[in-house]
Amino acid sequence: YKSIFDVFSRIIKEEGASRLYRGILPPIMVEAPKRAIKFASNDTYGPMFQKLFNSDKITQPIAIMTGVSAGITEAVIVATPELVKIRLQAKENAGKYLGTMDCVRKIYAEEGIRAFANGLEATVWRHALWNGGYFGSIFAIRGMLPKAQTKKGELAVNFAAGAIGGIIGTSLNTPSDVVKTRIQNHNPANGPPKYTTFLAGARTIAREEGLRALYKGYVPKVLRLGPGGGILLVVYEYVTTYMRNHWM
């Protein structure tokens, strides 16, 4: 594919528009819990690190460490649904699976229960890097921007901080995402995998295809996760403020 637009046009032309939604069920099932775990973990780890380092407030290093820790927690939850989604979406698997549960059954029958943990280590890298970059950036950017005096101003600050954090997180974690995807899409029928960990995979891809290959798919990811990071933070702050004011 030459570009994101080429991807859309060729998939629709060659496979039909419905193919754009292939593998949508696993992310739908895990998306809300994943976001909840992301922020709940980040809020939980913050006081833990403050106590550990005898700090009476969140600092930049603590903000990064809480984000990394939240990412590791999140990765354990999403690794298996990610694997199923990737198998369903892969072009070479077209027609192989009838749906999500059929995919799960066939992976288990053909590869065993351990196959569902394929790519877990690379998934940990992906989420640790994204969350560390995201929450660490939010802390830094909020400190640089003038304090909001109105609710609209606070919304704008949160959106800007979240969007920039999403771009930074995506820039940090795209190589691990590329490696994770290749590990999870490997078919054992094609022989043993070239690599099973992030660092080994990154070295192999960089050597065989060049460093740019580690950033394949960066543009559509950053177009989604940049604004998405801003919306995510705005919604989180709004919902938690509402809950504190009305339920707590």
Side-chain angles (χ1 to χ4, degrees):
Y1 301 115
K2 298 176 181 178
S3 67
I4 185 173
F5 303 105
D6 184 46
V7 173
F8 272 100
S9 60
R10 286 181 57 182
I11 289 175
I12 293 171
K13 181 179 179 180
E14 297 171 9
E15 305 174 50
S18 63
R19 183 66 183 177
L20 293 171
Y21 292 92
R22 184 78 169 174
I24 196 173
L25 185 57
I28 285 177
M29 292 174 65
V30 80
E31 194 65 24
K34 180 175 78 171
R35 301 306 181 189
I37 290 166
K38 179 195 297 292
F39 281 94
S41 298
N42 189 69
D43 287 348
T44 300
Y45 289 127
M48 290 172 57
F49 281 115
Q50 283 182 257
K51 186 177 180 180
L52 179 64
F53 294 105
N54 295 317
S55 176
D56 59 354
K57 62 180 181 179
I58 297 290
T59 62
Q60 183 68 62
I62 288 177
I64 294 171
M65 286 187 286
T66 57
V68 168
S69 301
I72 294 170
T73 305
E74 182 184 16
V76 175
I77 306 299
V78 306
T80 297
E82 278 282 319
L83 182 142
V84 175
K85 179 195 75 172
I86 287 167
R87 295 292 182 91
L88 284 167
Q89 292 180 340
K91 186 175 182 179
E92 57 267 32
N93 291 334
K96 181 176 181 179
Y97 305 117
L98 300 176
T100 300
M101 293 313 299
D102 184 55
C103 180
V104 171
R105 284 192 293 269
K106 286 179 178 175
I107 291 172
Y108 176 73
E110 296 170 5
E111 304 172 47
I113 191 70
R114 294 180 64 182
F116 292 106
N118 286 350
L120 174 59
E121 183 261 2
T123 305
V124 168
W125 275 98
R126 184 182 81 153
H127 287 266
L129 289 168
W130 197 90
N131 283 276
Y134 180 69
F135 288 110
S137 299
I138 288 170
F139 180 86
I141 293 161
R142 278 174 166 172
M144 291 186 288
L145 294 175
K147 187 172 179 61
Q149 302 299 319
T150 64
K151 287 186 177 180
K152 285 186 177 180
E154 186 177 346
L155 186 149
V157 168
N158 284 336
F159 181 80
I164 295 170
I167 292 170
I168 292 173
T170 302
S171 301
L172 291 172
N173 91 330
T174 297
S176 56
D177 191 28
V178 169
V179 174
K180 178 199 77 73
T181 299
R182 295 192 184 192
I183 291 172
Q184 292 186 323
N185 195 40
H186 174 73
N187 187 342
N190 297 329
K194 284 185 176 182
Y195 40 80
T196 58
T197 63
F198 164 57
L199 293 177
R203 284 194 298 267
T204 301
I205 292 170
R207 184 176 65 250
E208 295 180 354
E209 305 173 47
L211 288 172
R212 291 183 63 183
L214 290 169
Y215 277 87
K216 285 183 176 179
Y218 174 76
V219 172
K221 272 194 67 178
V222 83
L223 288 174
R224 174 172 63 92
L225 294 173
I231 294 169
L232 191 62
L233 184 60
V234 167
V235 171
Y236 170 76
E237 292 290 349
Y238 178 84
V239 171
T240 52
T241 299
Y242 181 88
M243 291 174 66
R244 283 194 294 268
N245 291 339
H246 293 82
W247 296 351
M248 297 179 183

